[in-house]
Amino acid sequence: GDLFAETVSYAAGIFNGVADGSNASNGDSDNTIDFEGRLFIQPWKQSKVTALQGLGFGVGGTYGDQNGTKAVNKYTTDGLQTFFNYRSGVAGDGAHWRASPQGYYYYGPFGLLAGYIESSQKVSSGASTATLNNSAWEVTGSWILTGEKNSYKGVTPDAAFNPAQGHWGAWGLFARYAQLDVDSAAFPVFADPTTSANSAEAWSVGLSWWLNKNIRLLTSYSRTTFSGGQSGTVTKEPEEVFFTRIQLAF
């Protein structure tokens, strides 16, 4: 919901705690639940100062108990290749929480979005236990080349694609840098240091074309480099990925 003329937004949910780590099974192995929430503030959204209207910041978080559940949390690249995975037999053994401060700023065709996340999970493998704290952050900048107003919710072209009238929709350029660090305590008991990376850094550039407010074409290039896991199939060399996508929104 939204409060105070949409300057404050909130979201909350209760979930069954099943990890989003596999397409093969969504079975729930325990009777615990996860609590999740987000609070976001745009203090100057209704201000007459245009330069401040697009500033927003907030925090999201989750809390759950994963006792006895398989630790399926794995990390994948932009190309969906796994570069970190737990050893067989590692399981959640207690509280799992996440905290994610975040923010953005949009002004005219310019946009800047940033986020940080800390994830803490107690795990066990046989008689060994540890609380692992992994963290990641990213910064994304964008510029609408055709001059339309940039926003978190997307872009509406000033004139929809119509070559007969000389209209070509809206075009935007994007760039992102992201980094993830795995807790050093994960190695070597809970993860194999020869095949799983202990950190990854990625940068991406992309071009978007909005034909109208409902149809968007995207192309992007990403390059990810790894520290550790130099014997792994994925982590022994950088990954380079080129994507093309189409988005339909109604």
Side-chain angles (χ1 to χ4, degrees):
D2 296 303
L3 301 171
F4 311 115
E6 299 184 346
T7 58
V8 176
S9 63
Y10 64 91
I14 300 176
F15 300 86
N16 65 1
V18 174
D20 187 19
S22 171
N23 292 326
S25 172
N26 284 321
D28 191 4
S29 59
D30 58 35
N31 60 1
T32 63
I33 56 177
D34 281 10
F35 300 90
E36 305 189 11
R38 179 176 184 260
L39 181 68
F40 200 81
I41 302 172
Q42 297 173 268
W44 296 284
K45 184 175 182 178
Q46 306 301 331
S47 169
K48 295 181 180 180
V49 182
T50 306
L52 295 177
Q53 293 175 356
L55 178 64
F57 49 87
V59 63
T62 75
Y63 182 85
D65 194 343
Q66 308 299 329
N67 280 318
T69 58
K70 182 181 178 182
V72 297
N73 294 355
K74 57 184 181 182
Y75 296 117
T76 59
T77 63
D78 289 343
L80 300 183
Q81 297 189 96
T82 300
F83 68 88
F84 171 86
N85 205 357
Y86 289 106
R87 292 184 185 272
S88 176
V90 177
D93 192 29
H96 185 189
W97 59 262
R98 305 176 186 88
S100 179
Q102 55 206 246
Y104 61 59
Y105 177 69
Y106 293 94
Y107 180 58
F110 172 77
L112 184 68
L113 181 148
Y116 173 86
I117 185 166
E118 184 85 11
S119 176
S120 177
Q121 168 72 72
K122 186 177 180 181
V123 298
S124 65
S125 179
S128 300
T129 63
T131 298
L132 304 179
N133 297 288
N134 304 328
S135 61
W137 61 271
E138 66 120 348
V139 176
T140 300
S142 58
W143 184 269
I144 307 305
L145 301 172
T146 45
E148 283 85 352
K149 182 179 180 181
N150 203 346
S151 78
Y152 179 76
K153 295 183 178 180
V155 174
T156 299
D158 291 338
F161 178 70
N162 188 337
Q165 297 182 8
H167 299 156
W168 301 95
W171 292 79
L173 185 65
F174 296 79
R176 182 186 69 200
Y177 182 83
Q179 180 176 328
L180 180 141
D181 292 304
V182 178
D183 194 328
S184 60
F187 306 99
V189 175
F190 305 102
D192 187 347
T194 66
T195 58
S196 287
N198 54 54
S199 68
E201 300 178 5
W203 61 265
S204 308
V205 291
L207 184 67
S208 288
W209 179 22
W210 291 266
L211 283 77
N212 53 48
K213 66 178 182 179
N214 305 116
I215 303 176
R216 180 186 182 190
L217 302 177
L218 308 90
T219 183
S220 65
Y221 168 82
S222 298
R223 188 175 194 273
T224 305
T225 56
F226 310 96
S227 295
Q230 296 306 306
S231 298
T233 303
V234 175
T235 53
K236 64 182 179 181
E237 59 186 18
E239 178 196 77
E240 296 179 273
V241 181
F242 181 77
F243 284 106
T244 56
R245 287 161 285 182
I246 183 170
Q247 175 182 303
L248 305 176
F250 298 93

